[in-house]
């Protein structure tokens, strides 16, 4: 399997992408290289058709297992960054990448804060081990551009009530309604990895797509990345479903001023204009607690956090008693508060 590693030209140590500085950074001597000015080693390498799942680490010589989806990983023996080049070329070449901006230290600090320094989580939960599990993952996404031709027909009424003399009149006017709308959506993101929970990924939005870069493999150095599990055609139904509520809202907004509106015909023709394969940055910790699985996920660009920390009933009552003197607050309310995702 062709492996790309990023050795420092000055000292030979492994280099990783640093989101803060935006540079490929040497972990030995601190040398920084601007990625935009580097030649992408992917473009220069000739790939064999070898599809093995074990790769040979060029730094320590270990044989490391890589899952079939993995495109970038870190050697589990020495920590060197490795990018599996043959899974990033041809049909599998990403068009764009949104590089990490939040550093690992910042993500770990946010995780601690998210757990309220253990205040709302069971005793012994916040251990060094959990923090160590913090992983920077580039999640494969399709960014869709969808154009929609919408035609609706229906029936509307305007009802007016007035009094003349001793009589009250109700006047109902009937209207035939016809609207034609063009609704175009760009940068509509759909998660393309079967490993990632779709709802969780949706909650991490929005991502600042204006900061997307043309794909270069050094952005992956030091992070985990997967190739897409579903192509843009397979995910098109999900993309259409995602815009359907926006389309409905636009239709309603186009037919106003009536007492009642009922549609007899709604035709929505959606054209797939473009779908770009992109990699989106997410910090993640996955952990088990009391046989339940929890996920902390953080938008690697904006710092938005989603997921649910485990709750300790005893500590929550104590916390509320201390803060507000209120002991009647239900656990339900607290779960609701935790679900919103706070920093
Ligand atoms: Zn160096
Ligand atoms: Zn190694």
């Amino acid at each position: 399997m062709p492996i790309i590693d990023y050795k420092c030209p000055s000292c030979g140590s492994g280099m990783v992408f640093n989101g803060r500085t935006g540079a490929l950074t040497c972990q030995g001597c601190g040398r920084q290289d601007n990625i935009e000015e580097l030649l992408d080693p992917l473009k220069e390498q000739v790939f064999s058709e070898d599809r093995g799942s074990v790769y040979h680490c060029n730094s320590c010589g270990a044989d490391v297992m890589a899952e079939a989806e993995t495109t970038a990983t870190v050697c589990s023996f020495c920590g060197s960054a490795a990018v599996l080049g043959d899974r990033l070329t041809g049909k599998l070449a990403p068009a764009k990448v949104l590089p990490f901006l939040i550093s690992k230290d910042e993500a770990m600090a946010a995780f601690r804060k998210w757990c309220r320094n253990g205040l709302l989580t069971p005793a012994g939960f916040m251990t060094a081990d959990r923090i160590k599990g913090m992983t920077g993952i580039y999640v494969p996404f399709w960014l869709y551009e969808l154009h929609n031709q919408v035609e609706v027909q229906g029936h509307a009424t305007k009802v007016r009530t007035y009094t003349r003399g001793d009589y009250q009149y109700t006047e109902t006017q009937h209207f035939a309604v016809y609207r034609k709308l063009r609704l175009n959506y760009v940068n509509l993101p759909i998660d393309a990895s079967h490993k990632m929970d779709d709802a969780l990924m949706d909650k991490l939005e929005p991502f600042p797509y204006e900061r997307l870069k043309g794909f270069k493999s050094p952005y992956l150095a030091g992070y985990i990345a997967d190739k897409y599990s579903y192509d843009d055609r397979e995910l098109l139904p999900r993309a259409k479903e995602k815009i359907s509520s926006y389309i409905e809202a636009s239709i309603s907004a186009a037919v106003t001023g009536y007492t009642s509106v009922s549609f007899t015909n709604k035709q929505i023709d959606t054209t797939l204009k473009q779908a770009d394969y992109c990699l989106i940055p997410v910090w993640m910790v996955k952990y088990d607690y009391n046989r339940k699985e929890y996920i902390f996920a953080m938008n690697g660009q904006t710092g938005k956090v989603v997921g649910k920390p485990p709750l300790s009933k005893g500590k929550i009552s104590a916390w509320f008693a201390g803060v507000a003197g209120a002991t009647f607050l239900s656990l339900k309310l607290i779960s609701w508060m935790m679900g919103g995702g706070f920093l």
Side-chain angles (χ1 to χ4, degrees), residues 263-284:
F263 293 105
T264 51
N265 185 35
K266 257 185 205 175
Q267 201 183 323
I268 300 167
D269 287 324
T270 303
T271 314
L272 170 58
K273 274 285 167 195
Q274 198 170 330
D276 282 335
Y277 177 26
C278 300
L279 300 176
I280 299 289
V282 178
W283 284 109
M284 208 168 238

Side-chain angles (χ1 to χ4, degrees), residues 8 11 26 29:
C8 173
C11 75
C26 176
C29 70

Side-chain angles (χ1 to χ4, degrees), residues 176-241:
V177 174
Y178 172 80
R179 294 287 187 278
K180 196 171 174 174
L181 309 170
R182 264 173 212 276
L183 302 169
N184 298 345
Y185 299 94
V186 294
N187 289 336
L188 178 81
I190 302 288
D191 146 37
S193 164
H194 69 84
K195 280 189 214 159
M196 290 295 165
D197 182 79
D198 292 340
L200 185 78
M201 287 300 123
D202 286 351
K203 281 190 209 152
L204 283 175
E205 292 171 24
F207 286 89
Y209 300 109
E210 69 279 4
R211 295 188 201 148
L212 279 166
K213 304 269 191 198
F215 177 74
K216 282 195 165 200
S217 63
Y219 284 118
L220 307 189
Y223 299 86
I224 305 290
D226 277 356
K227 65 186 173 68
Y228 62 78
S229 327
Y230 309 105
D231 67 24
D232 54 330
R233 290 277 157 193
E234 289 172 292
L235 290 177
L236 187 58
R238 244 204 101 204
K240 284 186 185 176
E241 197 195 308

Side-chain angles (χ1 to χ4, degrees), residues 86-104:
D86 59 338
R87 294 171 180 178
L88 289 164
T89 51
K91 221 165 54 107
L92 295 172
K96 290 169 186 169
V97 56
L98 189 59
F100 274 89
L101 183 64
I102 306 273
S103 71
K104 187 170 192 171

Side-chain angles (χ1 to χ4, degrees), residues 311-332:
L311 303 178
S312 159
K313 287 184 192 184
K315 283 201 172 183
I316 287 164
S317 343
W319 187 71
F320 270 95
V323 169
T327 50
F328 53 82
L329 276 159
S330 70
L331 261 177
K332 212 174 158 189

Side-chain angles (χ1 to χ4, degrees), residues 7-15 25-32:
K7 287 267 195 306
C8 173
S10 312
C11 75
S13 300
M15 298 181 88
T25 306
C26 176
Q27 292 174 299
C29 70
R31 178 190 164 115
Q32 305 215 349

Side-chain angles (χ1 to χ4, degrees), residues 280-291:
I280 299 289
V282 178
W283 284 109
M284 208 168 238
V285 187
K286 215 172 185 178
Y287 47 89
D288 296 322
Y289 192 83
N290 282 346
R291 291 183 198 157

